[in-house]
Amino acid sequence: MTGRGRPRKAEKTNGAESKTTQEEMKKAVTRSRRKNVTEEKHDDTAKPKEMDQTKANHTPAKPSVPGARRGKTTKHTTEELNKQQRTPSDDTRGPVKGTKAKTCSDRAKSAEEIKGEQQETPKDTTEVSVETTKPRKCPLNSKSTKHFEETMTTQSETPNSITQESFKITDSKAHNGKAKSAEKFREEAMKDQQETPKHTTNPEIDSILYTTLEKLKIRKNDKANASEIINPAKKKIFDHVKQNIEWFKEVESVPTGSYYENLKISDPDEFDIMLAIPLERVNIRSFGEDGAYFSVGLKRGNSPLKKFQENETLSASKMLSEFREEVKKCVKELPGWQMAKMKQGCPAVTLTGPRVNADSEPISLDVVLCLKVKSSWPEFTHDGFQIQRWLGTKVMQEYKRKPYYFVAKHEGDGEDEHDGIKAKDVWRISFSHIEKDIMRNHGSEKTCCEREGKRCCRKDCLKLLKHLLSLLKEKKPRLFSKFCSYHAKTTLLHACCLRVRDSDWEAESLSRCFIQLLQDFLGYLEKGVLPNFFIKRQNLLAGIEQKNYKKLACCIKEELEKGFPIFM
DNA sequence: ATCCTTACAGAGACT
DNA sequence: AGTCTCTGTAAGGA
């Protein structure tokens, strides 16, 4: 949320969720009413569900992307695009669909150890980036590259061009941050900004990236169809578990995942919803080394959850199986929906439903059982989540006052034991709600991406990185199966903390920003360390074989060198 | 507490 | 480029 409009509420109330589901019903009505109006207007007699998706596709869509509008290539780009949109068997969109980038088993793995120095900054990849982005297909000319380097060095923010000296400067800045206010930093940033040339654009790459982004857009019809499918199903499940599980009386539903963050690409075919049980007072103990897993126990008091308590620990596996059984019953009454087979250690109950369009994958809905804890964030999070320079100290403190969640997720087969507690009974900490909020309020300035403000390319960069990753996964599924969109998201979040100003992410500088983001990612891959954004000590790349992330780095470098043929 | 209205953001599509 | 449409989110009143 931004400066305008309703003030941001500090915390969601308990009632908010039931309200939400009710609203969903009401909205469905409103929508069908509105739809009728629209249909009359357009003389379209088709029923909503059978609505002709091609309708939208027949209409030439002008790219709403600044670069596409501005550039000489606009016409060409637009035409190409329309052709692609008109063709149902479009194979450029095809590959995206099957790639479920979200199965991120490694997110669970523990960081072996992260050695003291400069963890959050990937090592120097300037060599790679500068050299590889030179060839004619990728015309970052030497001048702009030099300029680029200079820019970055001046800013002392990029992970790649950081010299020991500049790092120290950054580091001390960061530490002083505790004493200095965010405003002070902004002032400094503003000063820097005046000295720093603004953008290093690259028309050729820009054009490819804009065209790609256009392809990744979710079609309006698809979205409408999806919401018509997904919302009643969500409501039905929510109402059912609330009524039929006695410890679900106070459950709240928290929509999460890329769809609700407006980061979903291609088709609206994956939805995540957390069903959260609010807990008043809990004892938590970390499980294993990486700081993301906890055993959760209830403090004294009466709770319907008592029956799941063993060794002062709430058994995630027992709760999950009761939850799963109840969802199963409900799904039987949902025509067109099925329950997917349970995956080992998977926190979600995955349901599959109808398709939003003929070419898409069936909709999948992950219903995640979780606990909502209203107390200060665990100790392990204290060194992570350093957003002061980007979003300000006040915003950070506001976030830290919000509750956090535990999802029923473990690693391995669940039989590993620490202190007499089995892995299957532990919970993984989750900050999806914070991630979602940050993605929505991602600007250093309050007006970033608003009508009155400047548009930035943070989200576009992330979409492109996700897309690149899923295309590479599709190319080499065995090698890259463990990489997921969460790696991309985490890379962006770190990048936002390194390059904090909105002017570092101007929409017009898409190619520069995206290339820089790729360099960040390469840096993490080459080091083999990508710290969780919230829990620094958890390495999201632990558990992936070294040869695989080296290989991925290779593939990405190749794309950089050749000007992203994979997108064409 | 629940229902309903209102307002706004975000994004796609239309003119 | 400006405007409209639709979905999702949230506040607040009845």
Side-chain angles (χ1 to χ4, degrees):
Chain A
M1 190 103 30
T2 53
R4 292 179 333 216
R6 278 164 286 118
R8 189 192 291 195
K9 212 183 166 187
E11 220 175 6
K12 214 180 210 175
T13 59
N14 279 358
E17 282 316 317
S18 51
K19 207 162 44 183
T20 309
T21 47
Q22 284 146 7
E23 272 167 18
E24 278 164 13
M25 283 299 279
K26 187 193 64 204
K27 289 276 165 56
V29 176
T30 323
R31 188 174 58 245
S32 60
R33 198 182 58 223
R34 278 189 200 146
K35 244 182 197 168
N36 289 339
V37 174
T38 319
E39 279 158 19
E40 273 170 33
K41 200 170 143 193
H42 295 287
D43 197 27
D44 183 349
T45 49
K47 281 181 193 166
K49 273 225 167 135
E50 297 149 5
M51 205 198 281
D52 183 11
Q53 278 119 22
T54 57
K55 196 176 92 177
N57 298 346
H58 284 310
T59 320
K62 283 181 191 165
S64 56
V65 198
R69 262 189 248 121
R70 267 182 294 102
K72 277 183 186 171
T73 51
T74 305
K75 199 167 181 191
H76 170 71
T77 311
T78 314
E79 273 165 16
E80 252 181 22
L81 190 72
N82 291 336
K83 208 163 85 191
Q84 279 153 0
Q85 283 176 347
R86 265 180 245 122
T87 322
S89 58
D90 176 0
D91 58 344
T92 54
R93 285 192 71 177
V96 193
K97 285 156 194 163
T99 320
K100 307 256 167 179
K102 67 156 81 159
T103 49
C104 183
S105 55
D106 43 284
R107 203 171 147 185
K109 302 287 174 169
S110 68
E112 285 292 70
E113 68 186 75
I114 299 176
K115 291 176 186 103
E117 85 290 293
Q118 304 156 17
Q119 285 317 325
E120 61 287 67
T121 51
K123 79 172 178 199
D124 193 325
T125 53
T126 318
E127 194 190 330
V128 175
S129 54
V130 172
E131 298 308 324
T132 57
T133 50
K134 251 189 250 176
R136 63 180 187 286
K137 275 211 120 180
C138 183
L140 262 186
N141 60 36
S142 57
K143 193 180 161 195
S144 61
T145 308
K146 188 159 175 268
H147 158 79
F148 177 78
E149 270 186 290
E150 279 167 0
T151 307
M152 292 312 177
T153 317
T154 322
Q155 292 166 3
S156 302
E157 279 158 6
T158 160
N160 304 313
S161 50
I162 288 171
T163 58
Q164 206 52 37
E165 286 75 8
S166 66
F167 181 80
K168 274 175 196 157
I169 294 163
T170 320
D171 201 35
S172 68
K173 258 190 183 179
H175 281 93
N176 289 345
K178 278 170 192 165
K180 276 184 195 171
S181 65
E183 279 74 13
K184 192 102 183 179
F185 276 123
R186 277 205 201 97
E187 271 172 36
E188 280 176 20
M190 294 279 274
K191 220 173 99 188
D192 281 356
Q193 199 178 342
Q194 287 164 359
E195 292 157 13
T196 315
K198 271 202 169 173
H199 23 260
T200 316
T201 50
N202 185 328
E204 240 176 277
I205 299 289
D206 270 344
S207 161
I208 293 165
L209 299 183
Y210 287 131
T211 309
T212 307
L213 281 171
E214 199 63 31
K215 282 188 259 177
L216 297 178
K217 277 185 181 173
I218 289 181
R219 306 289 137 202
K220 220 175 173 181
N221 270 343
D222 290 345
K223 194 173 182 184
N225 291 347
S227 74
E228 216 148 87
I229 296 167
I230 204 76
N231 290 340
K234 261 166 56 183
K235 179 174 163 47
K236 176 113 185 171
I237 293 162
F238 180 81
D239 290 349
H240 181 93
V241 292
K242 190 170 175 148
Q243 269 176 22
N244 293 283
I245 306 178
E246 88 272 16
W247 44 280
F248 255 75
K249 292 276 179 287
E250 295 188 303
V251 70
E252 298 169 15
S253 89
V254 186
T256 57
S258 60
Y259 178 83
Y260 295 105
E261 289 172 337
N262 286 314
L263 288 169
K264 185 75 183 75
I265 51 178
S266 304
D267 281 317
D269 54 3
E270 289 178 5
F271 296 82
D272 301 73
I273 183 167
M274 302 201 306
L275 295 184
I277 318 287
L279 296 181
E280 284 307 321
R281 295 185 306 145
V282 290
N283 282 320
I284 62 169
R285 272 179 299 165
S286 74
F287 179 90
E289 295 302 312
D290 76 353
Y293 292 88
F294 294 84
S295 64
V296 181
L298 296 170
K299 286 190 178 167
R300 279 175 298 281
N302 265 334
S303 165
L305 291 175
K306 275 271 152 138
K307 64 172 179 173
F308 297 110
Q309 184 114 316
E310 296 168 347
N311 300 330
E312 293 176 27
T313 301
L314 278 175
S315 163
S317 59
K318 286 188 177 169
M319 288 173 67
L320 198 53
S321 55
E322 192 175 329
F323 169 66
R324 197 180 157 80
E325 284 315 303
E326 211 49 58
V327 176
K328 199 188 260 176
K329 284 183 207 163
C330 176
V331 172
K332 278 183 188 157
E333 294 160 30
L334 276 171
W337 286 89
Q338 292 168 333
M339 199 153 172
K341 260 182 81 182
M342 186 151 99
K343 273 181 285 174
Q344 192 62 256
C346 183
V349 175
T350 305
L351 311 178
T352 45
R355 298 165 197 269
V356 279
N357 66 48
D359 302 321
S360 69
E361 292 287 307
I363 283 185
S364 86
L365 170 62
D366 280 353
V367 191
V368 184
L369 170 66
C370 64
L371 309 172
K372 174 181 167 183
V373 181
K374 282 185 237 170
S375 61
S376 55
W377 292 10
E379 191 199 322
F380 287 162
T381 61
H382 290 175
D383 56 353
F385 195 53
Q386 298 298 313
I387 59 165
Q388 301 95 318
R389 292 182 53 232
W390 170 26
L391 300 172
T393 310
K394 282 193 227 67
V395 172
M396 184 185 77
Q397 284 165 348
E398 256 172 58
Y399 282 136
K400 288 203 164 185
R401 274 196 292 272
K402 286 181 186 253
Y404 60 94
Y405 295 87
F406 284 119
V407 297
K409 156 93 184 180
H410 59 79
E411 47 178 336
D413 63 2
E415 293 304 317
D416 282 359
E417 247 184 77
H418 285 277
D419 305 328
I421 294 162
K422 287 192 171 173
K424 66 178 180 180
D425 287 328
V426 301
W427 302 78
R428 192 184 69 200
I429 199 161
S430 162
F431 297 98
S432 330
H433 57 310
I434 306 290
E435 291 162 15
K436 182 179 167 186
D437 204 82
I438 288 184
M439 292 320 301
R440 208 149 46 105
N441 304 292
H442 55 259
S444 171
E445 296 292 323
K446 283 184 174 178
T447 52
C448 181
C449 289
E450 286 187 352
R451 201 162 293 177
E452 286 87 27
K454 280 217 82 177
R455 220 182 99 79
C456 83
C457 64
R458 290 175 177 97
K459 281 183 165 188
D460 286 342
C461 284
L462 177 53
K463 284 182 187 173
L464 288 167
L465 180 56
K466 280 173 67 171
H467 184 48
L468 176 62
L469 195 57
S470 69
L471 290 173
L472 290 171
K473 272 169 74 108
E474 184 148 277
K475 242 177 155 180
K476 304 196 163 107
R478 294 239 321 273
L479 283 180
F480 301 153
S481 66
K482 287 194 169 177
F483 294 97
C484 66
S485 56
Y486 198 69
H487 291 121
K489 192 181 184 181
T490 302
T491 302
L492 180 83
L493 289 170
H494 286 307
C496 289
C497 290
L498 290 165
R499 297 180 284 282
V500 297
R501 298 169 300 182
D502 295 344
S503 59
D504 296 327
W505 296 93
E506 282 176 339
E508 294 77 11
S509 310
L510 177 68
S511 56
R512 174 177 63 79
C513 295
F514 179 56
I515 289 167
Q516 178 65 60
L517 188 66
L518 282 183
Q519 287 165 352
D520 289 0
F521 192 50
L522 285 173
Y524 297 122
L525 290 175
E526 279 168 7
K527 244 189 167 177
V529 178
L530 172 57
N532 183 312
F533 187 61
F534 296 88
I535 303 158
K536 199 170 159 187
R537 64 191 281 184
Q538 190 199 21
N539 178 12
L540 298 176
L541 296 178
I544 301 181
E545 281 183 70
Q546 190 179 14
K547 68 170 188 331
N548 289 352
Y549 46 73
K550 297 268 183 210
K551 185 77 196 151
L552 180 60
C554 256
C555 290
I556 292 174
K557 278 182 212 167
E558 200 184 321
E559 289 301 321
L560 266 167
E561 254 170 59
K562 295 181 178 168
F564 306 106
I566 201 165
F567 286 155
M568 291 185 265

